[in-house]
Amino acid sequence: MNLASELTGNLLSVERDDVREFEARLADSSALAIRVAYGVVRNRQDAEDVAQEAFARAYRRFASLRDRERFRGWLVRMTWRLAIDHIRSRKRRQNREDALMAITPQAGDLTEDTAASERTARLWKAIDQLPDRLRVVIVLTSIEGHGVKEVAALLGAAEGTIKSRMFEARQKLREALQ
Amino acid sequence: MSPMNDDQLNDALADLRAELSIEPSPEFAAKVRRQIDAEPERRGWNVWAWTGVAATCGIAVVAGALWMRSGDEIVVTPTVTPSVTTTIASTQTQTPTPVATTAQTTSPTPVTSLQQTVNAVRTTRIATAAPPKEKVLEVMVPPDQLLVIRQLMSNVRETSRREGPPSRTLIDPTTGELIPAKPIEIPLITIEPLPGAEGRSGGRQ
């Protein structure tokens, strides 16, 4: 076997390892990405589209991501940004708010309790009014039972920062929902 | 209306948690793979785009460097007189004769008016002929003198670089070593009051 074919073989095996690892990450983190996106776009199909784009970008940069343990954090931040861009570009905010006001319970999406649905709709509206840095904390703590430590790791911020943001966000939500 | 208490907020956030616990659709992974497979074309286009951008930047840098270098050169033109001088000279040589004759024969008023117009023309021409920008320094030197000037400048540069020995007055003739500098002595300054200024403080009480 000559050097060129050996090198090509090595590169291909590295690439195969990358692909295998990426497949594992995709299976592991797709729910997280979709939930993060859903926390912003509030529409299942749009959330999947945003998460799909985030994974495509992640794949492009996957080989250059040195610390792959931080992949989830990177993915969350990318998904959040894409979701925000998605909302801004399509100007769906107003439509979404209107839809939330005239909300109808759907199987699997909302609970059957109408009072709870109304309360959730009001909460979403209040969350939308929060600044971005507080909104992302509220959404992430509501996903997969993330605690302060996990949210800090995902956002690459200090735990103290996340705690104070949580406090501020809860206070603002309480004021908005009174 | 009372503000929401912690329990109510926790209930609302629990509803939020329930709503956010959605699962990806079964075809999600397949869609991601399809999008990734469609990527190489885009990546190829990006490579070409970046190559084009890099080439354009390179050309711009080279052109800029050449342009900067051409700006430093001394331009020697055989026609020595600048345009400003020419226009002033022509105005001066043409106008005085008729002015003088009219001044002698008739009244002095036309003379002054003509002189005013001459001055006006002169000033306007100077104003218009003066270059607004002085980016390139043009030195008008006849070619035969240019060589001499260059030689003179190079001689000046060479002599300024030379480092001569220290002055002889600083060297002790017996030992041949440098004499340490003496400290400067400043005599004491005594301020005497001016005559007739006694008793005045100068300040307002």
Side-chain angles (χ1 to χ4, degrees), chain A residues 73 140 143-156 159 162:
Chain A
L140 286 178
I143 292 173
E144 298 174 2
H146 286 144
V148 172
K149 197 176 175 181
E150 286 88 356
V151 174
L154 286 174
L155 295 180
E159 286 182 35
I162 301 300

Side-chain angles (χ1 to χ4, degrees), chain A residues 35 44 48 119 124 174, chain B residues 4 6 15 19 23 25:
Chain A
R35 286 166 189 173
R44 195 191 175 95
E48 286 212 356
R119 194 170 53 195
W124 275 126
R174 220 178 275 130
Chain B
M4 188 180 251
D6 267 351
D15 294 339
E19 199 180 338
E23 291 294 332
S25 59

Side-chain angles (χ1 to χ4, degrees), chain B residues 2 88 156 180:
Chain B
S2 64
I88 292 168
V156 167

